[in-house]
Amino acid sequence: MERRGVIERIKGPVVIASGVKNVQIGEIVEVGEEGLIGEVIRVSMDNFTVQVYESTSGLKPGEPVLATGKRLVAELGPGLITAIYDGLQRPLEEIYRLKGPFIERGIKVNALPRDRKWEFKPLVKKGDVVEEGDVIGVVEESRLVEHRILVPPGIRGEIIRVEEGSFKVDETVAVIKKGEEEHNVKLMHEWPVRVPRPFKARLSLETPLVTGQRVLDTFFPVAKGGAACIVGGFGTGKTVTLHKVAMWSDTDIVVYIGCGERGNEMCELLTEFPKLIDPRKKVPLLERTVLIANTSNMPVSAREASIYMGITIAEYYRDQGYHVTLIADSTSRWAEALREISGRLEEMPVESGFPAYLPDRLAEFYERAGRVKTIGRPEREGSVTILGAVSPPGGDYNEPVTIHTLRFVGALWALDTELAYRRHFPAINWLRSFSQYADEVEKWWAKQFPEFPRYRRRALRLLTIASEIEAIASVVGEGALPDDQRLILLTAELLKEGFLRQVAMTGEDTFCIPEKQYLLVKMIMDFYDRAYVLIRNKVPIDEIAGLPEVFKMMRVKEDERGLIAVKELYKQVIEALNQIAGKYGIDLEEVIQVGGK
Amino acid sequence: MAESDRGIISLMKGWYGTVYRGVKEIRGSLMIIEDVKDVRYEEVVRIMGPDGVERLGRVLEVSKDMAVVQILGDREGLEANCLVKFTGSTFEIPISDEVMGRVFNGRFEPLDGLPPVVSGDKRDINGAPINPYARVYPHDFIQTGISAIDGMLSLIRGQKLPIFSYSGLPHNVLAAQVARQATVLGKEEEFAVVFAGIGLRSVEARYFMEEFKRSGALERSVLILNLADDPAVERILTPRIALTVAEYLAFEMEMHVLTILTDMTNYCEALREISTAREEVPGRGGYPGYMYSDLATIYERAGIIKGRKGSLTMMPILTMPGGDLRHPIPDLTGYITEGQIILSPELHAKGIYPPINVLPSLSRLMKSGIGTGRTREDHRYVADQLYDAYSRGIKARDLAKIVGEVGLSERMRRYLKFADEFERRFLSQGVYENRSIEETLDLAWDVLSIIPEEELVRIPREYIETYHPKYRGVEVELP
Ligand SMILES: Nc1ncnc2c1ncn2[C@@H]1O[C@H](COP(=O)(O)OP(=O)(O)OP(=O)(O)O)[C@@H](O)[C@H]1O
Ligand SMILES: [Mg+2]
């Protein structure tokens, strides 16, 4: 029976309607003559409230409202990879082809193409007994992703039929029977986006997400399955940093949500990703990426939905046994969408106009990160790492979204306007940022480079001390400082310019492998130790600061010869210091051995 | 029927269909009308007061028998006893290539004495969002002839790059200079200029008109002028009308369009006024919580579209209330636009034109439009080094204020000198001075040569050896 009602009132993206029995919160309705998509967000005795996902301009009271009985779902199956969707999972490429460059409303297009065929290879046979989450076969979705077809959650029984060959996503590839009930398994299934997908158990977080960005990997790492936020005012580098992580991190799948941000930034990803080649598999990085673009000028309520759409897709690949990185730029725009809808509902605002449930929504979102043992066989683990951008008004952290986000994430990458003004990128402030994953992932590093933890901590400490000395220097002038303090400033400068700063968009320095990260810190800190001994033995700082090797240390990260160049320079640095030592009759090696701090 | 009513009705040309008489309430710029039928959300409303003046309005909220209407235009003279007509359509303007060279007010009525634009082709001024998939990433360098911009904040065709200013600074002069000098390297096409004056003072309006006339740009310009004494709420329409025209020229007439919107602060004030009248929960500074999304529907209309030859480049201008960069207007703008050019009262006081404070300024699309085959291979690195050196120079200058110049180290003194020379020679230029990108970069090298060569660590050696004055064998004029 059709469940049809009428519009009573229109107020921006919020529409009040009546005349449908038993509508449920979360039910999808079609609003008006054009059938605009909306979701029921409030019900009362005689009417219900709908958040409409498209522009309501021109709508009038009395137009029909059709309840669909469905919830907001994601279509999950082959065809997600390389796609670009809006917040409701409508494929933007297809929409462009059908309607041209501007987005009209009321468009209905399937998320997964129905005409494309996929080669399905079964991994089960007739008679096998399967349970939810079991892999029944695979499809090569892209050259980087083998798409594993799972028994959908909630289904178990005996395989009574299984196919092999070429299939469309909505064709049956296997039939599972339990008792009298038969269930057709297709290449795709649907999942309500606001409900987390099930898993067996949470696992501890141990492995870092290697991003190739030195300041992140070495100093403020995020673990696979963890959550980090990058916070900063406009133009401080949130998007560029997240783009780089999306490009270079050692993850299987990237789900990138452009949530209320710029159209050109999504266009940049679409233009760049096909050109960037996965260093390991030599295939364009786009072939492991799903893009969701609900830009700032697209409807606000669909922006709210985009986050859930993205995380559901991420969980789906996790369930297949992959490490997934979910990037949301910017979660502040999502929170603002919540605020706007809440305002139209005339809910009581608490802080800065945000509804009281803001912290809960943020917590629920970040809770969906994790490394898990998935349901189903063969036994496998997968993870979802969440990286969220936060855009605080006026760059001031003392605001609800920043404050609450910091309660739910394990790492903060704090961007700094001063650094950005100096074009020190990534402008991540090394004093303000933190990572709770550092201790765990240090073990991963130490397995390859036993001394890494020590160098890391010393370098961080040196940077902290340097900032205190800088504060003094800004009052008395650097010239008035004792030489040992000037050496600390010099070393800090080496760390900033030669290690932390990483701006290249192409070439050697776009990505820095862990070994090179280690060797660079080691070189700079070993330089410091030796130079310290020299200074203690009355060698003037200017003699050390003027060494050509010092300037070379600032540039060697970009040398196209990579590791070789760093190793070569390391020798030269030690050699140069030894020479000075020789000139002053100091035996450096011995002092280092004995007094090695 | 009263005598006066007859007069009014004769004014109501084109008012077919149902006309409502009398409204329940007029509150600020809002009007509440009861017992209405078939009213659409956001449709345009025509309102006739007893004074015989027609105003426009827009439906802000509608339920079965009641509509809330935003009055656009003058509220004075309106009484509860007025006539209201719902037009059934959202805000549209007729458009054709006749708009070129024309001047309109903020309701798209001609100000130049010529007849209104007639066309069957009508456009909703709100436009529609560009499908992100349909965008082409902008990468054509626009030479503005202004060193600070070309060298360090390159403007790219299809970019939205605002000027953040203070009242009393020459932002209009700068915008006019950009409009006058902008060319794309290697291409002869000139820009069409769409200019939206939002709450503009008439002297400013006259300045732009004269500038455009003088440079011959007027024939390829369209001016939409909402002046300071025009109704404030009309400012909501002005930039949208301008952008509807600009989109038409760019994406249908295939022109390269530069759109200047000044002053966006006045737009935001109007938005706040409406929000306050609706008794919405105010956000920061009393501005509505949806101001970000609202501004985005304006700024995001810039860009380039697949398969269309034209482009829409946007330069909004805004004065920062209280000179505060963190004020919601510049803050939200900066979060949407692709960079910002920030003017500085200190530089202005020193007599420097253009008084651009390059350090907090930024062009996000610069990277894609410069370098080998676009401007020059050393461009990006030179720009990076200028930023670094200038920020050190400013730091030295601050320190010198405390410890005196003698208290500075040799190295700091050199950076201080660099900062002075940078401002004097690189930044400063004439209002009618048009420098090529080569001149700009060579000038940059000249000032950089104050710094010892090995400290230029942000520039690869090969470029130092190619472009550094020492290797080029040129004498650099230094004081
Ligand atoms: N790692 C980096 N390397 C080089 N340049 C960078 C880097 N990070 C940021 N930038 C520069 O800073 C500019 C602004 O960065 P980005 O767009 O990431 O800022 P944002 O924090 O996302 O700002 P918004 O909040 O307005 O979106 C970039 O266009 C680029 O010029
Ligand atoms: Mg950003």
Side-chain angles (χ1 to χ4, degrees), chain A residues 260-291:
Chain A
E261 292 287 310
R262 302 172 185 84
N264 273 335
E265 289 171 351
M266 296 314 289
C267 170
E268 185 178 12
L269 288 179
L270 280 172
T271 328
E272 288 303 312
F273 273 36
K275 289 188 222 151
L276 297 170
I277 303 299
D278 181 297
R280 286 148 295 172
K281 299 201 183 152
K282 315 285 177 220
V283 173
L285 284 172
L286 191 66
E287 297 199 16
R288 63 169 198 185
T289 310
V290 185
L291 296 175

Side-chain angles (χ1 to χ4, degrees), chain B residues 317-332:
Chain B
I317 297 172
L318 57 88
T319 45
M320 299 184 279
D324 180 8
L325 184 59
R326 289 158 180 249
H327 183 281
I329 298 174
D331 190 48
L332 294 179

